[in-house]
Amino acid sequence: MVNYKDLGLVNTKEMFKGAVDGGYAIPAFNFNNMEQMQAIVSACAETKSPVILQVSSGARKYANQTLLRYMAQGAVEYAKELGWEKPQICLHLDHGDTFELCKSCVDMGFSSVMIDGSHHSYEDNIELTRKVVEYAHQYGVTVEGELGVLAGIEDEVSAEHHTYTRPEEVIDFVKRTGVDSLAISIGTSHGANKFTPEQCTRDENGKLVPPPLRFDILKEIEKQIPGFPIVLHGSSSVPQEYVDIINTYGGKLKDAIGIPEDQLREAARSAVCKINIDSDGRLAMTAVVRKFMAENPDKFDPRQYLGPAREELKKLYMHKINNVLGSNGKA
């Protein structure tokens, strides 16, 4: 058993309290490797933003759970090295789908876990979520639950259609499970293709314009559980400049579109205190690597393309922190 406090990590309790009270959102950035972790930590150290390092089930399989734990511990020490005296870094399991997976993460030093029982029946979701909460809270680990289903594909999470969160269920769900935060479905979606062309309109340049988020549902949920931390998954904006670079240099990302940043800014000023961003980082890194490879066919040193990719990723994260989430200067 490894306690997250021994790794220098924090859970989400104080982070979320500050975000709810202050009208901003905590960035939750997914990482799978060293370059992603370096970009996240350096961006947050420079902007003094609290941060949630997210690890999916797929990332654990890819990078090895033990290595990821030590990388998170290294992230804390790296942040201090960069001048961040008291780093506010949380290590979080993204979309845990079984009690066993969540328990394993708690035992391995994670400071927060998500149990996603949204694909089960309402009562089974409550039962599974409550079981995880009862175990995690013994060790001070915070728990995120989910009501509603997001469409799209991300790692091993897949759904064809949205099921919007029903505001009338949230009081009962939160009370019976004891969760610390709640992920809801109001129109965000996983992956780089969050909407089909049929769901969108087109602007004067022929670019797809996605349907607006259901802020009416969010406002009703806020009325039902005032001050309770709300989470948005699938909130990448899918910057078109990265999509264009990828497609210019051999990629085939057709109709890739994300959530407009003005809508995310609006969400961050509400009870939404955690916004998940994964696809944008993948696009930023891939765009730089594709361009480098095409322009430098004689190069083969991974540092020569992963270094610039890391810097682009840091730039993207700083933009999100400063201009979208408003979490800069909060740590």
Side-chain angles (χ1 to χ4, degrees), residues 28-321:
F29 297 132
N30 289 68
F31 82 107
N32 306 272
N33 61 28
M34 183 185 75
E35 285 79 15
Q36 289 173 313
M37 186 271 283
Q38 287 174 315
I40 294 168
V41 174
S42 58
C44 292
E46 199 163 316
T47 57
K48 293 297 184 286
S49 168
V51 67
I52 295 168
L53 291 174
Q54 292 203 147
V55 175
S56 67
S57 174
R60 287 178 91 230
K61 291 173 184 173
Y62 174 80
N64 178 272
Q65 61 175 359
T66 304
L67 284 175
L68 285 171
R69 182 191 65 189
Y70 283 110
M71 284 175 72
Q73 185 176 14
V76 174
E77 297 306 315
Y78 179 43
K80 291 177 182 176
E81 202 175 284
L82 293 173
W84 193 3
E85 214 170 301
K86 293 182 179 178
Q88 291 183 31
I89 298 174
C90 168
L91 180 62
H92 175 76
L93 170 66
D94 189 23
H95 282 290
D97 59 352
T98 65
F99 171 78
E100 291 74 21
L101 174 57
C102 291
K103 179 181 182 298
S104 173
C105 287
V106 171
D107 293 348
M108 288 291 287
F110 280 60
S111 55
S112 177
V113 294
M114 178 197 186
I115 177 63
D116 181 1
S118 63
H119 289 78
H120 296 294
S121 69
Y122 179 71
E123 288 298 327
D124 286 348
N125 187 359
I126 286 178
E127 184 181 348
L128 175 60
T129 303
R130 184 174 60 238
K131 186 177 179 182
V132 172
V133 168
E134 287 171 353
Y135 185 78
H137 279 186
Q138 295 178 72
Y139 304 101
V141 173
T142 42
V143 180
E144 175 187 328
E146 179 164 343
L147 264 181
V149 178
L150 270 67
I153 299 172
E154 179 185 45
D155 282 357
E156 297 169 3
V157 180
S158 176
E160 288 187 10
H161 303 289
H162 292 286
T163 302
Y164 290 118
T165 302
R166 298 173 63 187
E168 63 270 21
E169 293 179 341
V170 296
I171 296 177
D172 181 63
F173 186 85
V174 167
K175 184 177 179 181
R176 290 172 62 190
T177 60
V179 288
D180 302 286
S181 60
L182 183 65
I184 63 171
S185 174
I186 60 169
T188 55
S189 182
H190 292 127
N193 291 79
K194 299 186 184 299
F195 307 97
T196 64
E198 293 73 30
Q199 293 174 297
C200 304
T201 56
R202 291 189 183 271
D203 64 15
E204 62 276 10
N205 299 313
K207 293 279 188 182
L208 293 174
V209 178
L213 297 180
R214 291 290 304 274
F215 283 103
D216 57 322
I217 295 175
L218 174 59
K219 285 174 183 171
E220 187 56 39
I221 289 171
E222 287 181 293
K223 286 181 191 173
Q224 298 291 332
I225 45 174
F228 193 80
I230 300 300
V231 176
L232 284 189
H233 284 245
S235 297
S236 284
S237 299
V238 188
Q240 291 304 297
E241 61 266 32
Y242 295 142
V243 173
D244 291 343
I245 291 170
I246 290 169
N247 289 340
T248 297
Y249 293 97
K252 293 182 180 178
L253 292 178
K254 188 181 179 185
D255 297 327
I257 187 169
I259 309 299
E261 289 187 341
D262 61 336
Q263 293 190 40
L264 295 176
R265 272 191 288 272
E266 183 178 346
R269 290 192 289 266
S270 71
V272 172
C273 61
K274 172 177 179 268
I275 292 182
N276 292 11
I277 297 168
D278 185 7
S279 294
D280 284 355
R282 298 182 185 196
L283 290 167
M285 291 194 82
T286 300
V288 171
V289 171
R290 275 193 175 275
K291 186 172 186 290
F292 181 92
M293 292 294 198
E295 293 178 346
N296 300 276
D298 59 324
K299 305 295 185 188
F300 59 92
D301 184 343
R303 293 171 297 183
Q304 292 179 312
Y305 51 84
L306 290 178
R310 180 181 60 196
E311 290 309 305
E312 189 63 35
L313 198 53
K314 177 184 175 181
K315 187 175 87 173
L316 168 72
Y317 290 149
M318 290 181 71
H319 164 72
K320 297 288 186 183
I321 290 165

